[in-house]
Amino acid sequence: MDRSPFSTPPWGVWTDGEDEEAIECRRGEDEDDPWRHLESVESAETQAFVAAQNARSRRLLDRHPWRQRLAQTVDRCLTFRRVSCPRLQQNGCYYWLHTGDREARDVIVRSRQVDEHFGGDPGEGGAELLLDPAWASEQTSIYAYSFSPSGKLCCVVLQEAGSDWLSLRTIDASTGKRVEKSDPTWSKFTFGVSWISEEAYLYKRAVEVVGAREMGVPDPAFGLFLHRVGSDPELDVNVLPFGSLFTNKPLVCESLPSRPGQHRWLFVDMYKSTNPESETFLVELKSDEADEVKDNLSRSRRWLSKGFTGLTTYIGTLCDRHLFISTDTSHERGRVVSYSDEAIGAAPVDGLVPMDELVGESSDVIQSAHLAGRSKVLIIVYMRDACSALAFFDAQTGRRLADVTTDVLPESAAISEVSARPDSDDFYLKVETLISPPYVVVGRVVECEMTLARLLAADEEDQKLVCRREFYQSHDGVRVPLFICHAKDLRLEDGMRRPTLLHAYGGYSVSLQPFFDPFFVTFMRELGGVFAMACIRGGGEYGRAWHEAALGAYRTVAFDDFVSAARHLQETLTEPSLTASYGISNGGLLVSACMVRQPDAFGAVISEVGVHDLLRFHRFTLGRLWMGEFGNPDDARDREYLVKLSPLHNVQAGERYPHVLFTTADHDTRVVPSHSLKMLAELQSKPHGRSGRVLGRIYENAGHEGGSFRPLGRVADSTDTCLCLRRH
């Protein structure tokens, strides 16, 4: 009986008969860390190792007869118009990111007629092209952008070759022309600058820039710097040194438009690790002079939260009330609270400001909240079993107005972006699914009544795949969400065992919700496979407790959840030899850890930009911030369990491991390449039983985030990954 669309398991044999050739790499004398020399990315020895890995994988993958076919499918999956939500500015124009069918990067476009021009190519008769980053280099992309209060200026955050190191450029929001001779640089994780006036903004920057971009050293200290438009960035003032902490994007709390005499507050959140725990405070902004801002930030704080017990996120300002999402140990799924100008002003300096609860905690997790419409409506995006749900409230009383159930928001979908303003009745939502490209929905608020409509029509290709959400029981009986996707004409009830690709993340309180990836779609369309995504513990799908269940020494809970998902699928749909696992970053750690713990559960493993060395992660770039997630390798108690969790330190000689593909990127300054290089060397050096092939791909001019390959550059990346599944 033919048990799958393949005459042989898709990753069970290699058809070319080639033997696994050795890649020479010197083994160091330190038995606990024999591959430490591979941490020096620029050394001749490491470069030779990288070249050998790429040469082997290219030799095997480039000549595969399916390469052209798979590349064409990936290309078709990427050939759609990518657009962000339109954002209305005070100058009356809407701005959004646009990438055409065949374009290589996002550009910023503008229009006053969003309903007419949205989605169309910029040019004559359509939206106006404001900024194309291609003028800088082929590797330059837009990371974020922020407008001045009047909307006349725009500061664009630029990313080079996928690196987390960023530069800033201020342009005229009407012409796109540069307004400064020199640009601030040495910024990192700047998700848009914070304009505090028409002439000045705040941004994050390394305090000492000497050697800051070297991968083999920890990142330097950072601070919050004030830049005055037109001045030399070398003269920017560090108004808030972070020390060992870090911050998100500070926000100015004021109504639109500003009223004379109104208080203006700067909201700042501080983090000690990547855990979703912050201390937050407000300071009054009376001017944009650096000395005064610096003095206020150090001497005039009014605290909204202390003790790193939860997360506080700014929503917006309604008259003299400032709204926030607040989570803590008592309200871990979120609630909406407000603070009045009067209460803030009456609070003692360095004291806590009393709050009023507007919307209490529910059984669903609050993802985000937004003020919209002159009717003063509060839009709340909830997460319900890893999917998004939408609800509307009266922003003045907290009364629930309506929930939204509509065809433009499928059941297995996520809302990944919202654009709304309290002085506009229109708002926009970006909707993501696992089986079709994302799209934008326009909503309108009319006297507290809401309507939703899709801006662009769906493509017929979007209807050829199906997705459903179900639940499985993990090893300890906990119920875990699982998405299962496949071609519509694939009948799963026929009892045949199908090739299955299982994906998960399980860390940092990151909620794994539906999102579109051409790799997944190509696997379903061309390889006849079933794609599954498990929302395991360690993420944030059900709030703080879901995250903390797999924190530190309890990381094995996430590993066991993932293997339980594989076993659940293997009961009815597939079998171990037909099951491939796929993970990115922390998900790369997940799949490699599960491979060394239970190698018989999978036939193939794909780990992209993964964390594999849990004993030295804290010694590179901002890895020290991960200690809240994993523990401190320099602490003897933490090291005792970390050495048992670390994939690199648990590869066993003689074990029969699945086929493996490890990828990394030469500009990955977040999870440095040495994690993958050391794991490759360890696997390839150990004498194994009858194991699968171990391949490595190190991409050039690319960084940690998938967006650094985007969009057309991902054709080769996704094709390589699909070919490995086809060959294995």
Side-chain angles (χ1 to χ4, degrees), residues 552-553 555 612-618 627 629-650:
R555 201 63 170 199
H612 305 296
D613 184 352
L614 289 184
L615 300 187
R616 287 180 60 79
F617 67 85
H618 61 315
M627 291 192 289
E629 184 74 14
F630 299 126
N632 182 0
D634 293 334
D635 183 296
R637 291 170 298 180
D638 290 357
R639 191 178 182 88
E640 184 177 353
Y641 69 76
L642 284 171
V643 74
K644 297 175 183 177
L645 297 177
S646 178
L648 178 65
H649 299 88
N650 286 279

PDB file of all heavy atoms in Angstrom, residues 552-553 555 612-618 627 629-650:
ATOM      1  N   GLY A 552      13.403  28.809  32.695  1.00  0.00           N
ATOM      2  CA  GLY A 552      14.589  28.360  33.421  1.00  0.00           C
ATOM      3  C   GLY A 552      14.707  26.843  33.476  1.00  0.00           C
ATOM      4  O   GLY A 552      14.724  26.158  32.450  1.00  0.00           O
ATOM      5  N   ALA A 553      14.792  26.320  34.696  1.00  0.00           N
ATOM      6  CA  ALA A 553      14.966  24.878  34.884  1.00  0.00           C
ATOM      7  C   ALA A 553      13.778  24.074  34.383  1.00  0.00           C
ATOM      8  O   ALA A 553      13.894  22.855  34.196  1.00  0.00           O
ATOM      9  CB  ALA A 553      15.201  24.585  36.370  1.00  0.00           C
ATOM     10  N   ARG A 555      12.424  24.343  31.477  1.00  0.00           N
ATOM     11  CA  ARG A 555      12.392  24.406  30.012  1.00  0.00           C
ATOM     12  C   ARG A 555      11.967  23.079  29.392  1.00  0.00           C
ATOM     13  O   ARG A 555      11.406  23.043  28.292  1.00  0.00           O
ATOM     14  CB  ARG A 555      13.774  24.788  29.491  1.00  0.00           C
ATOM     15  CG  ARG A 555      13.768  25.367  28.079  1.00  0.00           C
ATOM     16  CD  ARG A 555      12.986  26.626  28.077  1.00  0.00           C
ATOM     17  NE  ARG A 555      13.092  27.400  26.869  1.00  0.00           N
ATOM     18  CZ  ARG A 555      12.772  28.677  26.828  1.00  0.00           C
ATOM     19  NH1 ARG A 555      12.348  29.290  27.905  1.00  0.00           N
ATOM     20  NH2 ARG A 555      12.840  29.351  25.705  1.00  0.00           N
ATOM     21  N   HIS A 612      21.993  27.287  20.538  1.00  0.00           N
ATOM     22  CA  HIS A 612      22.373  25.900  20.819  1.00  0.00           C
ATOM     23  C   HIS A 612      23.347  25.753  21.982  1.00  0.00           C
ATOM     24  O   HIS A 612      23.469  24.667  22.532  1.00  0.00           O
ATOM     25  CB  HIS A 612      22.996  25.269  19.568  1.00  0.00           C
ATOM     26  CG  HIS A 612      22.131  25.353  18.352  1.00  0.00           C
ATOM     27  ND1 HIS A 612      20.911  24.730  18.259  1.00  0.00           N
ATOM     28  CD2 HIS A 612      22.310  26.016  17.189  1.00  0.00           C
ATOM     29  CE1 HIS A 612      20.371  24.994  17.080  1.00  0.00           C
ATOM     30  NE2 HIS A 612      21.196  25.774  16.410  1.00  0.00           N
ATOM     31  N   ASP A 613      24.021  26.824  22.335  1.00  0.00           N
ATOM     32  CA  ASP A 613      25.011  26.783  23.422  1.00  0.00           C
ATOM     33  C   ASP A 613      24.450  27.551  24.615  1.00  0.00           C
ATOM     34  O   ASP A 613      24.547  28.786  24.683  1.00  0.00           O
ATOM     35  CB  ASP A 613      26.331  27.403  22.955  1.00  0.00           C
ATOM     36  CG  ASP A 613      27.429  27.297  24.010  1.00  0.00           C
ATOM     37  OD1 ASP A 613      27.128  26.881  25.146  1.00  0.00           O
ATOM     38  OD2 ASP A 613      28.583  27.653  23.693  1.00  0.00           O
ATOM     39  N   LEU A 614      23.884  26.843  25.574  1.00  0.00           N
ATOM     40  CA  LEU A 614      23.256  27.493  26.722  1.00  0.00           C
ATOM     41  C   LEU A 614      24.242  27.792  27.847  1.00  0.00           C
ATOM     42  O   LEU A 614      23.837  28.251  28.910  1.00  0.00           O
ATOM     43  CB  LEU A 614      22.107  26.622  27.259  1.00  0.00           C
ATOM     44  CG  LEU A 614      20.871  26.551  26.363  1.00  0.00           C
ATOM     45  CD1 LEU A 614      19.771  25.746  27.026  1.00  0.00           C
ATOM     46  CD2 LEU A 614      20.363  27.944  26.011  1.00  0.00           C
ATOM     47  N   LEU A 615      25.525  27.553  27.612  1.00  0.00           N
ATOM     48  CA  LEU A 615      26.523  27.882  28.625  1.00  0.00           C
ATOM     49  C   LEU A 615      27.288  29.172  28.314  1.00  0.00           C
ATOM     50  O   LEU A 615      27.980  29.696  29.184  1.00  0.00           O
ATOM     51  CB  LEU A 615      27.519  26.719  28.781  1.00  0.00           C
ATOM     52  CG  LEU A 615      26.921  25.380  29.212  1.00  0.00           C
ATOM     53  CD1 LEU A 615      28.028  24.371  29.486  1.00  0.00           C
ATOM     54  CD2 LEU A 615      26.027  25.532  30.432  1.00  0.00           C
ATOM     55  N   ARG A 616      27.147  29.690  27.083  1.00  0.00           N
ATOM     56  CA  ARG A 616      27.900  30.900  26.724  1.00  0.00           C
ATOM     57  C   ARG A 616      27.048  31.937  25.996  1.00  0.00           C
ATOM     58  O   ARG A 616      27.576  32.931  25.503  1.00  0.00           O
ATOM     59  CB  ARG A 616      29.118  30.527  25.863  1.00  0.00           C
ATOM     60  CG  ARG A 616      30.219  29.865  26.682  1.00  0.00           C
ATOM     61  CD  ARG A 616      31.426  29.500  25.826  1.00  0.00           C
ATOM     62  NE  ARG A 616      32.041  30.629  25.172  1.00  0.00           N
ATOM     63  CZ  ARG A 616      32.871  31.489  25.757  1.00  0.00           C
ATOM     64  NH1 ARG A 616      33.169  31.368  27.050  1.00  0.00           N
ATOM     65  NH2 ARG A 616      33.407  32.491  25.077  1.00  0.00           N
ATOM     66  N   PHE A 617      25.747  31.769  25.931  1.00  0.00           N
ATOM     67  CA  PHE A 617      24.898  32.717  25.215  1.00  0.00           C
ATOM     68  C   PHE A 617      25.005  34.127  25.781  1.00  0.00           C
ATOM     69  O   PHE A 617      24.862  35.122  25.058  1.00  0.00           O
ATOM     70  CB  PHE A 617      23.434  32.260  25.257  1.00  0.00           C
ATOM     71  CG  PHE A 617      22.808  32.289  26.631  1.00  0.00           C
ATOM     72  CD1 PHE A 617      22.249  33.455  27.136  1.00  0.00           C
ATOM     73  CD2 PHE A 617      22.788  31.144  27.422  1.00  0.00           C
ATOM     74  CE1 PHE A 617      21.679  33.474  28.408  1.00  0.00           C
ATOM     75  CE2 PHE A 617      22.220  31.163  28.689  1.00  0.00           C
ATOM     76  CZ  PHE A 617      21.667  32.341  29.183  1.00  0.00           C
ATOM     77  N   HIS A 618      25.248  34.244  27.086  1.00  0.00           N
ATOM     78  CA  HIS A 618      25.243  35.543  27.761  1.00  0.00           C
ATOM     79  C   HIS A 618      26.498  36.355  27.498  1.00  0.00           C
ATOM     80  O   HIS A 618      26.591  37.512  27.923  1.00  0.00           O
ATOM     81  CB  HIS A 618      25.075  35.344  29.264  1.00  0.00           C
ATOM     82  CG  HIS A 618      26.175  34.547  29.911  1.00  0.00           C
ATOM     83  ND1 HIS A 618      26.670  33.386  29.384  1.00  0.00           N
ATOM     84  CD2 HIS A 618      26.888  34.762  31.052  1.00  0.00           C
ATOM     85  CE1 HIS A 618      27.623  32.910  30.159  1.00  0.00           C
ATOM     86  NE2 HIS A 618      27.775  33.729  31.177  1.00  0.00           N
ATOM     87  N   MET A 627      19.089  35.958  30.307  1.00  0.00           N
ATOM     88  CA  MET A 627      19.238  35.187  31.544  1.00  0.00           C
ATOM     89  C   MET A 627      17.923  35.117  32.326  1.00  0.00           C
ATOM     90  O   MET A 627      17.724  34.193  33.114  1.00  0.00           O
ATOM     91  CB  MET A 627      20.363  35.769  32.395  1.00  0.00           C
ATOM     92  CG  MET A 627      21.742  35.544  31.780  1.00  0.00           C
ATOM     93  SD  MET A 627      23.135  35.888  32.894  1.00  0.00           S
ATOM     94  CE  MET A 627      23.046  37.674  32.999  1.00  0.00           C
ATOM     95  N   GLU A 629      15.235  34.412  30.967  1.00  0.00           N
ATOM     96  CA  GLU A 629      14.531  33.309  30.310  1.00  0.00           C
ATOM     97  C   GLU A 629      15.164  31.956  30.630  1.00  0.00           C
ATOM     98  O   GLU A 629      14.466  30.986  30.936  1.00  0.00           O
ATOM     99  CB  GLU A 629      14.539  33.530  28.794  1.00  0.00           C
ATOM    100  CG  GLU A 629      13.756  32.499  27.996  1.00  0.00           C
ATOM    101  CD  GLU A 629      12.252  32.661  28.114  1.00  0.00           C
ATOM    102  OE1 GLU A 629      11.779  33.707  28.585  1.00  0.00           O
ATOM    103  OE2 GLU A 629      11.545  31.713  27.722  1.00  0.00           O
ATOM    104  N   PHE A 630      16.500  31.876  30.554  1.00  0.00           N
ATOM    105  CA  PHE A 630      17.185  30.600  30.696  1.00  0.00           C
ATOM    106  C   PHE A 630      17.821  30.392  32.069  1.00  0.00           C
ATOM    107  O   PHE A 630      17.888  29.269  32.567  1.00  0.00           O
ATOM    108  CB  PHE A 630      18.286  30.471  29.630  1.00  0.00           C
ATOM    109  CG  PHE A 630      17.788  30.512  28.218  1.00  0.00           C
ATOM    110  CD1 PHE A 630      18.315  31.413  27.308  1.00  0.00           C
ATOM    111  CD2 PHE A 630      16.787  29.663  27.799  1.00  0.00           C
ATOM    112  CE1 PHE A 630      17.863  31.455  26.006  1.00  0.00           C
ATOM    113  CE2 PHE A 630      16.323  29.695  26.487  1.00  0.00           C
ATOM    114  CZ  PHE A 630      16.863  30.599  25.591  1.00  0.00           C
ATOM    115  N   GLY A 631      18.338  31.464  32.667  1.00  0.00           N
ATOM    116  CA  GLY A 631      19.148  31.352  33.863  1.00  0.00           C
ATOM    117  C   GLY A 631      20.533  31.907  33.602  1.00  0.00           C
ATOM    118  O   GLY A 631      20.862  32.332  32.485  1.00  0.00           O
ATOM    119  N   ASN A 632      21.366  31.910  34.626  1.00  0.00           N
ATOM    120  CA  ASN A 632      22.705  32.477  34.540  1.00  0.00           C
ATOM    121  C   ASN A 632      23.748  31.363  34.503  1.00  0.00           C
ATOM    122  O   ASN A 632      23.962  30.665  35.502  1.00  0.00           O
ATOM    123  CB  ASN A 632      22.957  33.392  35.749  1.00  0.00           C
ATOM    124  CG  ASN A 632      24.318  34.054  35.700  1.00  0.00           C
ATOM    125  OD1 ASN A 632      25.101  33.850  34.780  1.00  0.00           O
ATOM    126  ND2 ASN A 632      24.609  34.860  36.716  1.00  0.00           N
ATOM    127  N   PRO A 633      24.428  31.176  33.371  1.00  0.00           N
ATOM    128  CA  PRO A 633      25.430  30.102  33.284  1.00  0.00           C
ATOM    129  C   PRO A 633      26.591  30.265  34.264  1.00  0.00           C
ATOM    130  O   PRO A 633      27.294  29.285  34.539  1.00  0.00           O
ATOM    131  CB  PRO A 633      25.927  30.191  31.834  1.00  0.00           C
ATOM    132  CG  PRO A 633      24.826  30.874  31.091  1.00  0.00           C
ATOM    133  CD  PRO A 633      24.249  31.851  32.072  1.00  0.00           C
ATOM    134  N   ASP A 634      26.800  31.474  34.772  1.00  0.00           N
ATOM    135  CA  ASP A 634      27.880  31.686  35.736  1.00  0.00           C
ATOM    136  C   ASP A 634      27.462  31.362  37.165  1.00  0.00           C
ATOM    137  O   ASP A 634      28.292  31.393  38.072  1.00  0.00           O
ATOM    138  CB  ASP A 634      28.365  33.141  35.663  1.00  0.00           C
ATOM    139  CG  ASP A 634      29.053  33.441  34.339  1.00  0.00           C
ATOM    140  OD1 ASP A 634      29.584  32.507  33.723  1.00  0.00           O
ATOM    141  OD2 ASP A 634      29.030  34.619  33.923  1.00  0.00           O
ATOM    142  N   ASP A 635      26.188  31.069  37.371  1.00  0.00           N
ATOM    143  CA  ASP A 635      25.685  30.646  38.672  1.00  0.00           C
ATOM    144  C   ASP A 635      25.709  29.116  38.710  1.00  0.00           C
ATOM    145  O   ASP A 635      25.121  28.457  37.843  1.00  0.00           O
ATOM    146  CB  ASP A 635      24.264  31.172  38.882  1.00  0.00           C
ATOM    147  CG  ASP A 635      23.698  30.826  40.246  1.00  0.00           C
ATOM    148  OD1 ASP A 635      23.513  29.620  40.525  1.00  0.00           O
ATOM    149  OD2 ASP A 635      23.411  31.744  41.028  1.00  0.00           O
ATOM    150  N   ALA A 636      26.357  28.543  39.697  1.00  0.00           N
ATOM    151  CA  ALA A 636      26.550  27.085  39.752  1.00  0.00           C
ATOM    152  C   ALA A 636      25.226  26.334  39.743  1.00  0.00           C
ATOM    153  O   ALA A 636      25.105  25.273  39.111  1.00  0.00           O
ATOM    154  CB  ALA A 636      27.366  26.712  40.989  1.00  0.00           C
ATOM    155  N   ARG A 637      24.205  26.872  40.414  1.00  0.00           N
ATOM    156  CA  ARG A 637      22.913  26.187  40.463  1.00  0.00           C
ATOM    157  C   ARG A 637      22.237  26.198  39.099  1.00  0.00           C
ATOM    158  O   ARG A 637      21.661  25.192  38.682  1.00  0.00           O
ATOM    159  CB  ARG A 637      22.023  26.847  41.510  1.00  0.00           C
ATOM    160  CG  ARG A 637      22.490  26.641  42.953  1.00  0.00           C
ATOM    161  CD  ARG A 637      21.710  27.503  43.916  1.00  0.00           C
ATOM    162  NE  ARG A 637      21.905  28.935  43.631  1.00  0.00           N
ATOM    163  CZ  ARG A 637      21.352  29.915  44.317  1.00  0.00           C
ATOM    164  NH1 ARG A 637      20.536  29.634  45.336  1.00  0.00           N
ATOM    165  NH2 ARG A 637      21.587  31.180  44.015  1.00  0.00           N
ATOM    166  N   ASP A 638      22.299  27.331  38.403  1.00  0.00           N
ATOM    167  CA  ASP A 638      21.699  27.398  37.072  1.00  0.00           C
ATOM    168  C   ASP A 638      22.501  26.563  36.074  1.00  0.00           C
ATOM    169  O   ASP A 638      21.929  25.886  35.214  1.00  0.00           O
ATOM    170  CB  ASP A 638      21.632  28.850  36.591  1.00  0.00           C
ATOM    171  CG  ASP A 638      20.617  29.673  37.362  1.00  0.00           C
ATOM    172  OD1 ASP A 638      19.917  29.098  38.228  1.00  0.00           O
ATOM    173  OD2 ASP A 638      20.519  30.887  37.114  1.00  0.00           O
ATOM    174  N   ARG A 639      23.812  26.610  36.193  1.00  0.00           N
ATOM    175  CA  ARG A 639      24.654  25.867  35.245  1.00  0.00           C
ATOM    176  C   ARG A 639      24.385  24.365  35.328  1.00  0.00           C
ATOM    177  O   ARG A 639      24.468  23.653  34.321  1.00  0.00           O
ATOM    178  CB  ARG A 639      26.129  26.166  35.533  1.00  0.00           C
ATOM    179  CG  ARG A 639      27.077  25.655  34.451  1.00  0.00           C
ATOM    180  CD  ARG A 639      28.516  26.020  34.758  1.00  0.00           C
ATOM    181  NE  ARG A 639      29.418  25.589  33.714  1.00  0.00           N
ATOM    182  CZ  ARG A 639      29.719  26.308  32.638  1.00  0.00           C
ATOM    183  NH1 ARG A 639      29.189  27.504  32.466  1.00  0.00           N
ATOM    184  NH2 ARG A 639      30.560  25.841  31.723  1.00  0.00           N
ATOM    185  N   GLU A 640      24.022  23.893  36.487  1.00  0.00           N
ATOM    186  CA  GLU A 640      23.771  22.460  36.663  1.00  0.00           C
ATOM    187  C   GLU A 640      22.642  21.970  35.762  1.00  0.00           C
ATOM    188  O   GLU A 640      22.717  20.885  35.188  1.00  0.00           O
ATOM    189  CB  GLU A 640      23.441  22.175  38.127  1.00  0.00           C
ATOM    190  CG  GLU A 640      23.253  20.694  38.431  1.00  0.00           C
ATOM    191  CD  GLU A 640      22.992  20.424  39.902  1.00  0.00           C
ATOM    192  OE1 GLU A 640      23.084  21.381  40.714  1.00  0.00           O
ATOM    193  OE2 GLU A 640      22.690  19.269  40.242  1.00  0.00           O
ATOM    194  N   TYR A 641      21.577  22.778  35.631  1.00  0.00           N
ATOM    195  CA  TYR A 641      20.497  22.342  34.747  1.00  0.00           C
ATOM    196  C   TYR A 641      20.715  22.807  33.302  1.00  0.00           C
ATOM    197  O   TYR A 641      20.283  22.143  32.355  1.00  0.00           O
ATOM    198  CB  TYR A 641      19.126  22.788  35.261  1.00  0.00           C
ATOM    199  CG  TYR A 641      18.821  24.267  35.231  1.00  0.00           C
ATOM    200  CD1 TYR A 641      18.502  24.916  34.036  1.00  0.00           C
ATOM    201  CD2 TYR A 641      18.791  25.024  36.404  1.00  0.00           C
ATOM    202  CE1 TYR A 641      18.197  26.272  34.008  1.00  0.00           C
ATOM    203  CE2 TYR A 641      18.485  26.378  36.382  1.00  0.00           C
ATOM    204  CZ  TYR A 641      18.192  26.999  35.178  1.00  0.00           C
ATOM    205  OH  TYR A 641      17.882  28.331  35.157  1.00  0.00           O
ATOM    206  N   LEU A 642      21.421  23.932  33.110  1.00  0.00           N
ATOM    207  CA  LEU A 642      21.655  24.412  31.751  1.00  0.00           C
ATOM    208  C   LEU A 642      22.500  23.442  30.937  1.00  0.00           C
ATOM    209  O   LEU A 642      22.271  23.266  29.736  1.00  0.00           O
ATOM    210  CB  LEU A 642      22.320  25.792  31.789  1.00  0.00           C
ATOM    211  CG  LEU A 642      21.405  26.968  32.135  1.00  0.00           C
ATOM    212  CD1 LEU A 642      22.217  28.238  32.368  1.00  0.00           C
ATOM    213  CD2 LEU A 642      20.378  27.194  31.030  1.00  0.00           C
ATOM    214  N   VAL A 643      23.469  22.805  31.560  1.00  0.00           N
ATOM    215  CA  VAL A 643      24.304  21.852  30.826  1.00  0.00           C
ATOM    216  C   VAL A 643      23.487  20.641  30.380  1.00  0.00           C
ATOM    217  O   VAL A 643      23.809  19.993  29.377  1.00  0.00           O
ATOM    218  CB  VAL A 643      25.520  21.426  31.681  1.00  0.00           C
ATOM    219  CG1 VAL A 643      25.109  20.479  32.794  1.00  0.00           C
ATOM    220  CG2 VAL A 643      26.603  20.804  30.812  1.00  0.00           C
ATOM    221  N   LYS A 644      22.401  20.353  31.098  1.00  0.00           N
ATOM    222  CA  LYS A 644      21.519  19.246  30.700  1.00  0.00           C
ATOM    223  C   LYS A 644      20.542  19.668  29.609  1.00  0.00           C
ATOM    224  O   LYS A 644      20.040  18.823  28.863  1.00  0.00           O
ATOM    225  CB  LYS A 644      20.757  18.729  31.920  1.00  0.00           C
ATOM    226  CG  LYS A 644      21.649  18.152  33.009  1.00  0.00           C
ATOM    227  CD  LYS A 644      20.835  17.762  34.231  1.00  0.00           C
ATOM    228  CE  LYS A 644      21.729  17.245  35.353  1.00  0.00           C
ATOM    229  NZ  LYS A 644      20.948  16.916  36.588  1.00  0.00           N
ATOM    230  N   LEU A 645      20.239  20.971  29.533  1.00  0.00           N
ATOM    231  CA  LEU A 645      19.310  21.469  28.523  1.00  0.00           C
ATOM    232  C   LEU A 645      19.996  21.820  27.216  1.00  0.00           C
ATOM    233  O   LEU A 645      19.378  21.762  26.148  1.00  0.00           O
ATOM    234  CB  LEU A 645      18.596  22.725  29.051  1.00  0.00           C
ATOM    235  CG  LEU A 645      17.696  22.591  30.274  1.00  0.00           C
ATOM    236  CD1 LEU A 645      17.147  23.958  30.669  1.00  0.00           C
ATOM    237  CD2 LEU A 645      16.545  21.631  29.994  1.00  0.00           C
ATOM    238  N   SER A 646      21.262  22.193  27.276  1.00  0.00           N
ATOM    239  CA  SER A 646      21.970  22.720  26.116  1.00  0.00           C
ATOM    240  C   SER A 646      22.144  21.663  25.028  1.00  0.00           C
ATOM    241  O   SER A 646      22.778  20.631  25.254  1.00  0.00           O
ATOM    242  CB  SER A 646      23.350  23.229  26.556  1.00  0.00           C
ATOM    243  OG  SER A 646      24.076  23.708  25.447  1.00  0.00           O
ATOM    244  N   PRO A 647      21.595  21.879  23.826  1.00  0.00           N
ATOM    245  CA  PRO A 647      21.749  20.881  22.753  1.00  0.00           C
ATOM    246  C   PRO A 647      23.207  20.586  22.428  1.00  0.00           C
ATOM    247  O   PRO A 647      23.583  19.426  22.213  1.00  0.00           O
ATOM    248  CB  PRO A 647      21.035  21.536  21.568  1.00  0.00           C
ATOM    249  CG  PRO A 647      20.062  22.470  22.179  1.00  0.00           C
ATOM    250  CD  PRO A 647      20.729  22.991  23.414  1.00  0.00           C
ATOM    251  N   LEU A 648      24.047  21.625  22.400  1.00  0.00           N
ATOM    252  CA  LEU A 648      25.456  21.447  22.047  1.00  0.00           C
ATOM    253  C   LEU A 648      26.151  20.466  22.972  1.00  0.00           C
ATOM    254  O   LEU A 648      27.046  19.726  22.541  1.00  0.00           O
ATOM    255  CB  LEU A 648      26.159  22.812  22.083  1.00  0.00           C
ATOM    256  CG  LEU A 648      27.648  22.822  21.783  1.00  0.00           C
ATOM    257  CD1 LEU A 648      27.916  22.392  20.346  1.00  0.00           C
ATOM    258  CD2 LEU A 648      28.241  24.202  22.051  1.00  0.00           C
ATOM    259  N   HIS A 649      25.770  20.423  24.231  1.00  0.00           N
ATOM    260  CA  HIS A 649      26.477  19.618  25.221  1.00  0.00           C
ATOM    261  C   HIS A 649      25.824  18.265  25.454  1.00  0.00           C
ATOM    262  O   HIS A 649      26.199  17.559  26.394  1.00  0.00           O
ATOM    263  CB  HIS A 649      26.568  20.394  26.538  1.00  0.00           C
ATOM    264  CG  HIS A 649      27.326  21.677  26.397  1.00  0.00           C
ATOM    265  ND1 HIS A 649      26.720  22.859  26.035  1.00  0.00           N
ATOM    266  CD2 HIS A 649      28.648  21.956  26.538  1.00  0.00           C
ATOM    267  CE1 HIS A 649      27.632  23.814  25.977  1.00  0.00           C
ATOM    268  NE2 HIS A 649      28.807  23.300  26.271  1.00  0.00           N
ATOM    269  N   ASN A 650      24.859  17.897  24.596  1.00  0.00           N
ATOM    270  CA  ASN A 650      24.182  16.615  24.790  1.00  0.00           C
ATOM    271  C   ASN A 650      24.138  15.756  23.538  1.00  0.00           C
ATOM    272  O   ASN A 650      23.360  14.806  23.467  1.00  0.00           O
ATOM    273  CB  ASN A 650      22.757  16.871  25.307  1.00  0.00           C
ATOM    274  CG  ASN A 650      22.751  17.302  26.767  1.00  0.00           C
ATOM    275  OD1 ASN A 650      22.841  16.490  27.676  1.00  0.00           O
ATOM    276  ND2 ASN A 650      22.672  18.616  26.987  1.00  0.00           N
TER     277      ASN A 650
END
